[in-house]
Every structure is written in structure tokens, then in C-alpha cells.
Amino acid sequence: MAEKLETIERIRRFNRFYMACIRVMDRTYLNSEYSVTESRILYELGENSGCSAKYIADKMNIDKSYLSRILKRFSEKGLLKKRVSEEDLRSYSLTLTQSGQEVIDELNRRSDREIGDLVSELTDAECGEICCAMDMITKHLS
């Protein structure tokens, strides 16, 4: 049990460290007008064109009412198109508009630059170690 408690503390410590590294505690994500959650929803919409709100809510483990309010704002801003799903007439198929795709493309470029800056001083071997560690974490916690 002591080993599990140590693991819990170390994961929490790492999360605090990494969240500060990538500045997810800032009011907005990457100095954009979007929060981290909104940016992640845009990302999921871009990666999973035609998906449903239920898919995003389940994938992100996000409250459906909160997601619905965000999707409504995205639609009002012209970032999102909603169409009645062909499989389930009670559901909508969600797709980014050209404007929405441009927003997520810019956020992806900013994120790549920021992470690139973070690892710019590391050697290839150190980058490899980090990648292996992340792969192992993903494997064991999936």
C-alpha cells in the first residue's frame, strides 16, 4: 500500500510540474481566446469530423451540459456546423467550418512551437527517454 501512496504522490507532483511547463493554468490556452477545455474540444472536432457530442463528452469525460454550452458558442461564432445524424435522428453530426479549422490549425502551430521550445535544449537521447516514459505511462494507465 505504501508503494501505491508514493505513486499517487509522484503522479500528482508530476502533474503540477507539467501543467506549469505547458502553462495550462493560464486563463486562456496559448494566448488565444479559448480555454484549455474549449481548445481540446476544437481539437477533437478537427480530428473526428462528423462525430457526436456524446462521443466528445465520453472521450473527454466532460459534463454534457457544459459541452452543449460550448458547442452552442462555437456554432454562434461560425466555428461549427451541426447536422442531424443519419444514424440517429436524435443526435447531431458535428463538423468544424473552415473558420473552425483555421482556429485549430493555428492552435496546433502554437502548441508545436511551445513544446518545441520546451525540448529545444534536450539531446536526441533525452527526447527518446521522455517519449519512452510517456509511452509507458500511457500503456500502464490505459
Side-chain angles (χ1 to χ4, degrees):
M1 182 64 179
E3 188 67 30
K4 297 274 192 217
L5 292 174
E6 173 68 16
T7 300
I8 291 167
E9 174 52 36
R10 290 182 70 179
I11 289 172
R12 293 186 66 220
R13 186 178 333 131
F14 176 79
N15 284 344
R16 290 188 298 270
F17 162 78
Y18 190 66
M19 289 173 72
C21 274
I22 62 171
R23 298 179 7 204
V24 297
M25 300 305 288
D26 289 353
R27 183 156 163 59
T28 62
Y29 184 61
L30 298 169
N31 295 315
S32 71
E33 63 182 276
Y34 303 100
S35 69
V36 171
T37 301
E38 291 168 332
S39 299
R40 174 68 192 283
I41 292 167
L42 284 169
Y43 173 83
E44 292 299 336
L45 289 167
E47 291 293 306
N48 301 287
S49 187
C51 68
S52 67
K54 180 183 181 337
Y55 172 85
I56 293 175
D58 291 346
K59 180 151 187 167
M60 291 182 58
N61 194 26
I62 186 173
D63 178 75
K64 290 175 185 168
S65 297
Y66 179 48
L67 175 61
S68 179
R69 290 190 299 275
I70 291 171
L71 293 175
K72 182 178 182 212
R73 280 196 310 275
F74 286 171
S75 187
E76 289 169 352
K77 291 179 85 162
L79 304 177
L80 175 68
K81 290 184 285 193
K82 293 166 54 173
R83 290 190 201 105
V84 175
S85 171
E86 294 175 7
E87 293 87 34
D88 182 353
L89 299 177
R90 300 167 296 169
S91 183
Y92 290 94
S93 171
L94 306 172
T95 308
L96 290 178
T97 62
Q98 181 63 36
S99 295
Q101 189 61 53
E102 289 169 6
V103 168
I104 196 56
D105 288 347
E106 177 60 22
L107 289 173
N108 283 334
R109 279 191 292 278
R110 289 183 193 180
S111 183
D112 287 349
R113 265 193 314 270
E114 201 159 288
I115 299 295
D117 290 346
L118 187 63
V119 300
S120 66
E121 301 296 318
L122 300 178
T123 66
D124 287 347
E126 290 167 331
C127 287
E129 288 174 358
I130 288 172
C131 289
C132 287
M134 289 186 297
D135 289 345
M136 186 179 298
I137 290 167
T138 301
K139 174 186 167 193
H140 289 305
L141 296 182
S142 292

